[in-house]
Amino acid sequence: MRLLILISLTLGALVTSQESALTRQRLHKLRSKYKSGHPDCNCLNGGTCISYQLFSQINRCLCPKGYDGEHCEIDTESQCYKEDGQDYRGTVSKNEENEECLSWDSPSLSRWPYNAGLRNSLQLGLGKHNYCRNPNGRSKPWCYIKKGYRTLPTVCDIQQCHREIDSTCGQRSFSKYFKIVSGSIAAIESQPWIATIFYYSKRTEKNVFVCGGSLIDPCWVLTAAHCFSARGTDSSDYRVFLGKSKLDATDDKEQTFQVEQIITHEGYMEENTGSYNNDIALMRIKSASGHCAAESDYVKTICLPAENLVMRDNTQCEVSGYGKENNLDLYYSKILKTANVNLISQSLCRDEYYDPNKVNDNMVCAGGVQWKTDSCKGDSGGPLICEHNGRMSLYGIVSWGEGCAKENRPGVYTRVTRYLSWIDSNIRRVHFKSRGPPK
Amino acid sequence: MESVWGGVLLAALLSQAAALRCYSCDGDRSCLETEDCREEQGWCRTTSLTMIARSRSAERIQKGCEMEGKPNNSVSFFSHGQIVLLAEEHCATDLCNQRAPNGLGSFSSVTYLECLSCSASDHSCSSPSMQRIRCLDPQEQCVDITAISMPEKFPQDERRIKGCGQISRCQEPLGFHTQDSFYLLQCCNSSLCNNDTRDYQESPLPLNGVTCYACEGNSSHGCAPENITPLQCQGPMTHCIEAVGSHELAGPGAMLKGCASPAWCNAPYVSIYKGLSGVQARCCHGNFCNSWIQEGFLPPARRSWAGHRLVAQPALLYSTILLAALVLPPSHS
């Protein structure tokens, strides 16, 4: 039986190596985009890069507590693996027979399909260590061991996690699916991370609705950069509401905030260039009493996606907002709505529905079944959320689209996974554990 | 005619042969890649970063071509509970940077100097009870390295390190500052002597009475006449300095003026900290004496103070010759 497992592991390794070669290239490309003139250590998990000018700018990552490794890629506190363990970055290094794993950079592995010498070894979690990993989508983390003269892959002695307990992001107290365009009402409890951004007119002393947003941290709302192109980025001009069910009514569930800081992406171009590239912005919020958001049934954070998360095409996700129910409507919807949309393949969206000048890899497209649901004007900045590992992750930010729910014209969203470093560096939280829940 | 081509070929071959070849890589000790150096790069470099924690150690080695004149330095210190060893070595022959600097030194039973150790990245340099580190090499001294630049070009730079080390030319304090940056490299040779706890950013050194011009940039940006401001010099920085060179990003014509310690004037640290190559630097003593460099180049040095006009005459002569060469058409064409 064990032999069978071993054979299937090896076979699996051979079969999947081709596929991973593709993702490898893609990830490689993705990374190089962040490379600029200054030294970059590529620190993960909120690690800080420090360099030494006196020594030709050689640099190293300073890892937050609980992380280790040259790129802070090793999670020293991880006790178990989730799903199939592809994201496992813990430190178990023994197989089920208590035999010590071979280090992934061991010379005897150089001709095996998985070793530390692979170009995408960092993405796969392989490096100068012998910790169990699952780089090829097997059922659980594994490693190579040496048996006499033979090298064999074996399954590791790690438990699967029961369920995450330490974080509250991406979990709603109540969930139900509704629609925005041709849709019905969503209770705020089903989208407790949604933020509403208002422009506060000092002249009329009235709030004018601007955009939606998502609470990614008690102090930070993520939204679209284009939300500020009409009225500027003076933070004193804006107000943010959380836990708000109706646009035109206040109740005791909602929390009101002033804005301390607005950071729009430096690479965002104004619309008149015809491109919505880098349509992303951060807002730091603070209440009149100086506090950030307080968690309740109506106010919760949404998880940021894992750095390398690429959801499959046609995955069903949700978009929500207070936008128009029809592009031609005069008024915004007064009530929060949610719609189901399916992710659309990048090439289809770029080449068939739009054109490569407009859609790039910083964007992700989604549309409703038979084009009946979509985000629309006024939903901008709001969340496109997808379920991953049993919780909701912020996969996209409502950005643009031609018309609303129009055939062959899907909604286009800012692809959040491309901006995790940007978010990280702007929030400057050293301890941004697993890019997940705020503590 | 053939002999002329032969000569050209020979010259080409010679210049080929003159290009230095170095190992070039970023990773571990198993480095096989090589590169051909550019004309101005006369040395090969090896930089190593080793981190030693309780259970494991990690090493990073960088190799490549380098400009001549950089010092061989090393330093070891505590940071976040790990020992960090940094070392850089240079050599001048083909593929001479094969060996990595042995950051660990020789582990012998002889005990060497003991120094205070801290690093800014874990905020331990402001701590009253600093860790102690035992030097691993008899050549090592106690060192105290400060490098602050504002606005922070590299906000992630380590601003202060104390530990053991070998810093070239640091018998005298090596210091330089402008309004925006401050560098001070100090060495001393007795047990725990690197005990200066002053935070140079929070409480600057006392002024020494010298005033220099200060600026950083080039003649149109940063060091334009309106950017050049008077600067009161601190501590051991009793000389005015001005330098021009080629910046790694901004290109040639990069300028720098400020206060420097006498030792700094002859040391290569301007190019290291400011990313300049082909540096021509000039130090002088006296208020506002660093006003020679204005248009991004250092005028030819005067031979004597009396010869002020004599300098102008050869210059006139040369330009006449140059003009004549340009105006007179080549006779063979």
Side-chain angles (χ1 to χ4, degrees):
Chain A
M1 184 58 201
R2 185 160 308 282
L3 189 69
L4 247 172
I5 293 172
L6 292 183
I7 289 168
S8 65
L9 256 171
T10 324
L11 272 175
L14 289 171
V15 171
T16 50
S17 63
Q18 185 124 31
E19 179 199 42
S20 65
L22 284 170
T23 48
R24 186 181 314 162
Q25 264 180 359
R26 194 187 173 128
L27 286 166
H28 193 73
K29 257 192 194 159
L30 211 148
R31 277 209 176 277
S32 62
K33 243 202 129 163
Y34 292 110
K35 288 248 163 86
S36 53
H38 64 84
D40 181 3
C41 343
N42 201 0
C43 309
L44 306 175
N45 295 310
T48 323
C49 180
I50 49 170
S51 59
Y52 297 91
Q53 287 189 65
L54 199 50
F55 296 90
S56 303
Q57 300 283 357
I58 200 165
N59 53 32
R60 65 186 179 112
C61 291
L62 254 174
C63 302
K65 195 177 166 292
Y67 291 97
D68 199 1
E70 200 178 332
H71 302 279
C72 309
E73 74 280 15
I74 295 164
D75 183 346
T76 55
E77 289 170 358
S78 169
Q79 302 292 328
C80 55
Y81 68 91
K82 290 168 210 137
E83 292 185 333
D84 59 4
Q86 283 207 53
D87 291 335
Y88 176 74
R89 294 293 180 269
T91 56
V92 169
S93 60
K94 284 189 172 145
N95 72 0
E96 288 176 337
E97 281 152 25
N98 208 27
E99 291 165 313
E100 191 73 18
C101 296
L102 278 174
S103 183
W104 296 99
D105 67 335
S106 149
S108 54
L109 293 186
S110 59
R111 271 180 292 175
W112 285 78
Y114 291 95
N115 60 60
L118 295 179
R119 212 171 44 172
N120 62 334
S121 56
L122 180 60
Q123 277 81 40
L124 299 176
L126 311 178
K128 296 173 194 168
H129 59 75
N130 66 342
Y131 307 137
C132 301
R133 295 291 181 257
N134 184 4
N136 55 346
R138 300 311 303 157
S139 59
K140 68 182 286 193
W142 56 274
C143 70
Y144 294 106
I145 56 144
K146 197 120 193 158
K147 269 221 160 104
Y149 293 110
R150 293 169 58 209
T151 302
L152 303 167
T154 65
V155 172
C156 283
D157 182 24
I158 318 178
Q159 298 302 308
Q160 193 168 21
C161 304
H162 297 297
R163 195 144 176 86
E164 279 182 74
I165 18 133
D166 59 334
S167 67
T168 57
C169 76
Q171 288 180 321
R172 41 193 164 201
S173 33
F174 146 86
S175 93
K176 211 156 186 186
Y177 300 116
F178 297 97
K179 296 174 177 181
I180 315 187
V181 175
S182 84
S184 36
I185 305 151
I188 184 72
E189 291 96 313
S190 75
Q191 301 287 337
W193 34 79
I194 199 157
T196 44
I197 301 164
F198 288 86
Y199 173 77
Y200 175 72
S201 165
K202 284 162 191 151
R203 194 173 51 81
T204 63
E205 296 186 346
K206 278 194 173 142
N207 286 324
V208 183
F209 175 70
V210 178
C211 266
S214 311
L215 188 71
I216 56 166
D217 174 286
C219 304
W220 292 91
V221 167
L222 194 66
T223 184
H226 81 256
C227 293
F228 305 103
S229 45
R231 295 190 174 91
T233 54
D234 183 344
S235 54
S236 68
D237 288 341
Y238 293 91
R239 299 284 180 273
V240 171
F241 289 79
L242 296 169
K244 197 171 181 62
S245 296
K246 290 182 176 179
L247 268 196
D248 55 350
T250 49
D251 59 32
D252 55 355
K253 299 168 189 170
E254 70 185 35
Q255 299 177 25
T256 313
F257 299 90
Q258 293 174 351
V259 179
E260 278 206 316
Q261 202 185 353
I262 296 174
I263 306 167
T264 53
H265 195 285
E266 44 286 356
Y268 172 70
M269 303 292 174
E270 288 297 314
E271 291 97 283
N272 54 25
T273 62
S275 157
Y276 284 88
N277 196 14
N278 304 313
D279 193 6
I280 189 167
L282 276 165
M283 301 176 93
R284 190 185 172 94
I285 55 167
K286 203 175 207 179
S287 70
S289 57
H291 293 98
C292 295
E295 194 187 317
S296 70
D297 280 350
Y298 318 103
V299 175
K300 290 181 194 297
T301 53
I302 182 79
C303 306
L304 286 175
E307 191 167 15
N308 48 7
L309 179 68
V310 179
M311 304 288 295
R312 280 178 213 281
D313 296 340
N314 301 315
T315 304
Q316 194 179 68
C317 299
E318 289 171 34
V319 57
S320 31
Y322 301 83
K324 293 183 181 180
E325 292 178 63
N326 185 314
N327 198 24
L328 304 173
D329 282 357
L330 207 51
Y331 298 104
Y332 292 116
S333 157
K334 299 263 189 291
I335 296 161
L336 177 62
K337 298 194 169 178
T338 296
N340 288 339
V341 286
N342 295 340
L343 299 183
I344 290 169
S345 110
Q346 195 72 8
S347 56
L348 192 64
C349 183
R350 187 185 53 215
D351 303 329
E352 300 290 322
Y353 297 150
Y354 292 106
D355 69 74
N357 299 330
K358 287 187 173 158
V359 176
N360 63 31
D361 286 347
N362 292 329
M363 304 171 189
V364 56
C365 305
V369 178
Q370 297 179 329
W371 310 101
K372 280 192 177 143
T373 57
D374 194 6
S375 51
C376 198
K377 204 168 171 173
D379 293 323
S380 279
L384 170 75
I385 57 171
C386 308
E387 191 171 326
H388 182 65
N389 282 359
R391 46 183 73 223
M392 304 310 291
S393 286
L394 183 63
Y395 198 61
I397 300 168
V398 179
S399 179
W400 61 279
E402 205 180 296
C404 300
K406 200 170 153 189
E407 198 171 333
N408 296 335
R409 293 290 182 270
V412 186
Y413 300 79
T414 309
R415 193 183 280 269
V416 175
T417 50
R418 298 292 299 248
Y419 296 96
L420 295 171
S421 332
W422 182 83
I423 294 169
D424 244 21
S425 60
N426 281 294
I427 294 187
R428 280 190 195 289
R429 283 165 55 107
V430 176
H431 194 67
F432 209 71
K433 181 124 185 161
S434 306
R435 308 193 178 277
K439 288 277 158 32
Chain B
M1 192 62 194
E2 262 170 42
S3 66
V4 173
W5 283 114
V8 170
L9 201 65
L10 190 68
L13 281 171
L14 276 174
S15 69
Q16 276 274 307
L20 181 70
R21 223 174 146 68
C22 300
Y23 284 102
S24 166
C25 45
D26 184 354
D28 53 22
R29 282 169 185 265
S30 61
C31 174
L32 296 170
E33 287 161 54
T34 63
E35 68 173 322
D36 288 319
C37 301
R38 295 197 307 270
E39 202 180 335
E40 68 273 18
Q41 296 173 314
W43 281 0
C44 297
R45 163 177 75 90
T46 312
T47 310
S48 71
L49 165 68
T50 314
M51 279 176 290
I52 303 167
R54 254 163 300 153
S55 54
R56 52 200 224 107
S57 72
E59 186 176 54
R60 181 164 174 201
I61 310 252
Q62 286 178 345
K63 295 181 180 189
C65 297
E66 187 58 81
M67 312 281 296
E68 287 175 41
K70 283 210 174 173
N72 291 351
N73 287 334
S74 69
V75 61
S76 52
F77 58 97
F78 280 108
S79 174
H80 292 263
Q82 294 181 310
I83 296 179
V84 179
L85 304 166
L86 288 160
E88 185 161 286
E89 283 179 3
H90 302 91
C91 55
T93 54
D94 277 348
L95 302 178
C96 59
N97 60 338
Q98 184 174 28
R99 193 183 74 95
N102 195 354
L104 284 170
S106 48
F107 276 113
S108 71
S109 54
V110 189
T111 52
Y112 300 117
L113 201 56
E114 195 178 21
C115 302
L116 293 171
S117 180
C118 69
S119 74
S121 62
D122 66 1
H123 308 288
S124 57
C125 290
S126 48
S127 143
S129 57
M130 245 177 257
Q131 278 182 284
R132 295 170 175 204
I133 191 166
R134 183 70 72 176
C135 301
L136 294 164
D137 190 291
Q139 305 281 314
E140 285 188 321
Q141 297 182 306
C142 297
V143 298
D144 186 346
I145 300 167
T146 306
I148 303 165
S149 62
M150 296 287 287
E152 300 179 18
K153 190 173 64 164
F154 302 117
Q156 67 276 59
D157 277 347
E158 190 98 279
R159 292 156 162 259
R160 186 87 177 251
I161 298 169
K162 280 175 192 282
C164 293
Q166 276 180 274
I167 302 294
S168 169
R169 295 169 187 260
C170 77
Q171 291 75 14
E172 301 288 316
L174 285 160
F176 168 78
H177 74 106
T178 65
Q179 271 97 347
D180 301 328
S181 55
F182 181 97
Y183 303 95
L184 188 59
L185 287 76
Q186 295 167 284
C187 299
C188 55
N189 215 352
S190 58
S191 181
L192 308 176
C193 59
N194 56 345
N195 54 3
D196 176 9
T197 51
R198 179 190 289 266
D199 180 336
Y200 298 109
Q201 213 171 358
E202 294 289 313
S203 53
L205 286 166
L207 303 178
N208 57 30
V210 178
T211 308
C212 301
Y213 286 118
C215 72
E216 210 173 309
N218 59 32
S219 59
S220 59
H221 194 82
C223 274
E226 66 270 21
N227 303 128
I228 300 177
T229 48
L231 172 72
Q232 294 186 295
C233 299
Q234 301 174 14
M237 282 71 102
T238 55
H239 283 56
C240 299
I241 188 170
E242 52 189 333
V244 283
S246 183
H247 189 265
E248 57 195 355
L249 299 176
M255 286 166 69
L256 188 68
K257 289 174 193 277
C259 304
S261 70
W264 183 277
C265 295
N266 300 316
Y269 295 101
V270 167
S271 59
I272 291 173
Y273 279 117
K274 296 299 174 185
L276 300 180
S277 58
V279 172
Q280 285 180 283
R282 171 184 166 266
C283 269
C284 56
H285 195 57
N287 289 337
F288 299 113
C289 62
N290 58 342
S291 58
W292 284 23
I293 300 174
Q294 271 159 11
E295 290 301 319
F297 59 89
L298 192 65
R302 285 172 280 189
R303 297 277 154 82
S304 75
W305 293 107
H308 202 82
R309 283 199 200 119
L310 283 173
V311 180
Q313 279 167 355
L316 200 68
L317 186 68
Y318 286 136
S319 50
T320 317
I321 294 168
L322 194 70
L323 258 177
L326 283 172
V327 171
L328 292 174
S331 53
H332 295 292
S333 65

